[in-house]
Amino acid sequence: MLRFVRVAAVWAVGLIILKTAAGPAGADYVRPASTAPSAYLQVVSAPGEPELSLYAEERGAGAPVVLIHGLGGSTYSWRFIAPVLAQTHRVIALDLKGFGRSGKAFDTAYSAADQALLVANFIARRGLSGVTLVGHSFGGQVALLTAIEMNRRRGQRVSQLVLIDAPALPQTLSPLVAFMQQPVLPYALLTALPSAIVTRLALASNSRVQLDRAYTDEDADAYAAPFLDAAARHAYIQTARQIAPGNLADIITAYRRVRQRTLLVWCQADDVVPVATGRRLERLLPNARLALISGCNHAPPDEAPDALARELTNFLMHR
């Protein structure tokens, strides 16, 4: 039993941390100082529901760019990208409900659609217009559904989209998502094992990680933090369980009505969300272009920040 728990822990939580949140930073990328101001904003998810506090970090000036992290991530996931984009734009990195420093609720409203409603209300409350939404992985799902929601409101607040390795189409469940469907084991493992130890075990056990790259104790602490709080663990598990929405066919039909200029960025070697998904999205979205980058698996904000920053900058500067 002990051996099973140890192996399951390394496998499951390793996927959690590395595939959806934290690859190490590229060796040629200079780690920026964290100087971003921060603020909390109260938003309402739906009429009659209690307000939820969403945390955002903002820097720069110009047209707004809203950054939405992936499963298990936070504003920290954009630590390399946000300072680059802030040289020419107003950059707002947002913690989704249940993640980072945002409010966490013991409920089941953690689907991409639930999060998209919160992001749409966040944008409306901030009075933002001409927004470029940038979403990584699960955050890409959220960004796309946010655009659909705001188009429905006829506000034209979202002008552009960037979807990075986004699981926005049907696919085989990854081992992580399949594991999270279990009724008890995910809660037990994430509760029983020390977060810092699990983070380092996961790094050491993943063959794609080059441990000689820049990876600091600060990074380990930041990515271990979500597993320290029971509400955060609940949010993570509930989100993973709802990665594949039940009404995906209807959602895909709505993709064809998304007229915003869209950049799709995909890691060539992604084995979590295959490049085939990016190619199909390029055909489904009326105004989309696909860019492939190397040197990463599923987390280019961490694994290939320089290449990702170049793609984003080129997209933003050449409308």
Side-chain angles (χ1 to χ4, degrees), residues 15-24 69-72 77-78 135-141 163-168 171 174 176-177 206 208 236 243 265-275 277 293-304 308:
L15 285 169
I16 289 170
I17 296 170
L18 295 173
K19 301 240 185 240
T20 62
H69 61 80
L71 178 63
S77 302
W78 302 105
H136 168 236
S137 192
F138 174 71
Q141 278 194 60
L163 311 179
I164 305 167
D165 296 85
Q171 66 175 71
S174 69
L176 165 66
V177 174
N206 193 309
R208 288 181 176 80
Y236 188 99
I243 286 288
V265 183
W266 240 262
C267 293
Q268 289 180 323
D270 193 335
D271 62 2
V272 177
V273 182
V275 172
T277 295
I293 58 177
S294 60
C296 59
N297 180 35
H298 183 65
D302 289 286
E303 297 169 325
L308 177 59

Side-chain angles (χ1 to χ4, degrees), residues 39 42 45 55 84 90 102 142 155 163 176 180-181 202 218-219 221 223 229 233 236 266 281 295 313 317:
Q42 298 295 318
S45 58
Y55 174 81
V84 177
R90 178 186 178 188
S102 286
V142 175
L163 311 179
L176 165 66
M180 288 298 160
Q181 309 307 309
E218 179 186 2
D219 296 330
D221 291 343
Y223 284 116
D229 179 75
R233 294 193 294 270
Y236 188 99
W266 240 262
L281 278 176
T313 299
M317 299 303 293

Side-chain angles (χ1 to χ4, degrees), residues 81-126:
I81 303 301
V84 177
L85 302 186
Q87 295 174 20
T88 54
H89 288 75
R90 178 186 178 188
V91 178
I92 302 170
L94 182 65
D95 280 344
L96 293 173
K97 172 190 174 183
F99 296 92
R101 301 182 186 181
S102 286
K104 300 164 181 65
F106 282 101
D107 59 30
T108 59
Y110 284 99
S111 70
D114 294 322
Q115 298 281 12
L117 187 56
L118 284 168
V119 175
N121 289 344
F122 175 90
I123 291 171
R125 285 282 188 98
R126 281 283 177 96

Side-chain angles (χ1 to χ4, degrees), residues 5-7 9-11 13-15 17-18 193-207 209 211 215:
V5 171
R6 182 178 181 276
V7 171
V10 173
W11 169 67
V13 187
L15 285 169
I17 296 170
L18 295 173
L193 295 169
S195 298
I197 292 176
V198 169
T199 302
R200 286 161 177 79
L201 280 173
L203 287 169
S205 67
N206 193 309
S207 62
V209 172
L211 295 179
Y215 186 82

